[in-house]
Amino acid sequence: MTGGSSPDGLNRRDALRVFGGSALALALAGCAELLGGDDDVGDAEEGDVPDEPIEAGLQTFREGAPAVLGVQAEYGAETAVGRINDNGGVAGREIELDVVEEGDEHLENYQQFVDEGKDVTFGPISSGGHEAMVPEIDDRGVINVATDGTVTTLYEEDFPDTTYSFRFQNHDVMEALAAAVEAVEILGADEIDTYAGINPNYAFGQDEMEIFSLGIQQLADAEEVYSGFPDLGADDMSTHVTNVNSEEPDVVFTSCWGGDATLLLQQAQASDMLENTELVVGPVLYGSANDYEEGDLEGPIHGGSRNFYWDQPATDQWTPAADLFDEVREEYDVIPTAHFMSGYGAVTAWATAADKAVRILGRWPEQDELAAMLEEHGFFTPAGYHTMATDHQGYSNAHFGELAWSDELDAAVLEDVNVYAPEEVSPPPGTTSRDWIEGW
């Protein structure tokens, strides 16, 4: 485990270096005020750059149970676009963002965006939708930065040579393994003999359960006693809760998200499931922070918050996260979750790479030039430092903590947060996650 970054002690030269020497990068990191101006920063607007705005498209869930996460991604993307435009745009070009409902139309949404002449597209949330889009993205040649769509095999096995498809959010291995390590950290390996899982019945849930199983078996030699897969948006999970209660496993793993996570915890509370297990761990449980009520969180529940938790490091130490938290509370009246950062970070990854490309080329980049720039691109957001690797996968710290209720915020919070660095929960370059874990 590792702590997060802090700007404390940075002088002006250091800050310009780590934030990329760009007013845009500083604005998106949220710390422009630390520097008191950008006189030493080069001017990306001096190059051969079109006058017209950048046309961008975002697809995300805006309806039904998945909207609990999807709307956060929309808020995040809107906030990043607002900050970019308020700070002069990308090399002088403002961004115009068009948002559409993701639904089951992932491929059609991307095709429509390209037909409309979009310069860049963002999304989706869904892993299955992201998987279906990659061949079309490479065929049409317009960069897409997925906000989520985190299935592990996507870039490791299925599309290792993609050119125009990228992903900002940490992929499944990073959060499923963080859940396994968190369980061992809380209970101790010798105290975990059995485990069970309740996960969404599609690519994401199946991928998360398989990786958690590999991890917990290697770390604690634990035995799986139940694994259930409710459909996404299910209206009843009581059968799965009943099966877990009958087995009384030491650990329950769930990657349920959005309204599904809320329903699972409500039915688990109603059936005393939290009294029949030592620990529930869920990699994306904190994504539903704004949907929970206090009674949903009673018992030993540890939730992941992917690559962002606004109070880690504490917001009285980390100004960018504090500013973002206050801005989001004022603008949207919600707690920003990691899925807010999914939208914010996807836009930031592309915008800072484009800004850098103009500075290097002296003109606006072609799609293939910008795709090359995104590989091994490093940038800051209020969540800390991120890298986009040559495998087109984004990497940043993973967060896990105990779910609790805050009367002050009238919302769910995480306590005793553990932070896992990318190298602790993801394989080295050139190795698949499954081979890496099986080699422990």
Side-chain angles (χ1 to χ4, degrees), residues 159-360:
F159 302 105
D161 298 319
T162 180
T163 300
Y164 299 103
S165 174
F166 295 84
R167 174 168 57 197
F168 166 74
Q169 190 53 265
N170 289 347
H171 53 323
D172 293 351
V173 64
M174 301 176 73
E175 53 192 23
L177 274 191
V181 174
E182 181 83 358
V184 171
E185 183 81 12
I186 300 301
L187 299 179
D190 293 341
E191 301 300 319
I192 303 174
D193 295 321
T194 58
Y195 70 95
I198 302 176
N199 294 275
N201 189 25
Y202 73 114
F204 167 73
Q206 292 156 4
D207 188 50
E208 290 256 344
M209 184 61 191
E210 181 183 352
I211 292 172
F212 177 82
S213 296
L214 288 172
I216 202 70
Q217 289 169 11
Q218 292 289 64
L219 292 169
D221 195 24
E223 176 189 1
E224 180 182 298
V225 293
Y226 177 73
S227 181
F229 292 94
D231 290 339
L232 194 65
D235 57 10
D236 183 11
M237 297 193 185
S238 60
T239 299
H240 303 290
V241 171
T242 299
N243 286 330
V244 168
N245 278 339
S246 69
E247 297 292 344
E248 299 188 2
D250 295 316
V251 177
V252 177
F253 172 79
T254 179
S255 58
C256 286
W257 55 276
D260 290 351
T262 307
L263 178 63
L264 174 61
L265 292 188
Q266 288 174 342
Q267 295 194 337
Q269 297 290 355
S271 300
D272 299 326
M273 191 186 87
L274 280 301
E275 297 177 10
N276 292 317
T277 183
E278 297 298 320
L279 182 67
V280 172
V281 286
V284 285
L285 285 180
Y286 193 72
S288 304
N290 295 283
D291 202 41
Y292 295 134
E293 297 181 357
E294 183 175 3
D296 300 335
L297 308 181
E298 296 175 357
I301 308 170
H302 279 238
S305 187
R306 289 200 161 169
N307 65 358
F308 173 57
Y309 182 62
W310 47 267
D311 198 33
Q312 177 58 46
T315 48
D316 59 354
Q317 299 177 28
W318 179 228
T319 303
D323 291 346
L324 185 73
F325 181 82
D326 292 342
E327 184 178 338
V328 174
R329 292 279 284 178
E330 180 176 349
E331 177 68 24
Y332 301 110
D333 193 25
V334 297
I335 300 288
T337 70
H339 291 82
F340 178 96
M341 188 52 61
S342 294
Y344 188 102
V347 172
T348 302
W350 180 88
T352 52
D355 190 70
K356 187 192 298 181
V358 172
R359 292 168 189 279
I360 292 173

Side-chain angles (χ1 to χ4, degrees), residues 7 27 45 63 66 71 107 122 134 138 174 239 244 253 279 284 300 321 346 418-419 431 436:
E45 300 178 37
E63 302 172 356
V71 171
L107 188 58
F122 304 107
V134 176
D138 280 329
M174 301 176 73
T239 299
V244 168
F253 172 79
L279 182 67
V284 285
N418 289 319
V419 182
T431 304
W436 179 57

Side-chain angles (χ1 to χ4, degrees), residues 44-66:
E45 300 178 37
E46 293 178 354
D48 183 10
V49 177
D51 292 332
E52 61 265 25
I54 296 162
E55 300 291 337
L58 166 71
Q59 58 172 315
T60 188
F61 289 114
R62 309 171 91 183
E63 302 172 356

Side-chain angles (χ1 to χ4, degrees), residues 63-82:
E63 302 172 356
V68 172
L69 300 190
V71 171
Q72 283 265 332
E74 180 177 351
Y75 290 164
E78 287 177 345
T79 300
V81 167

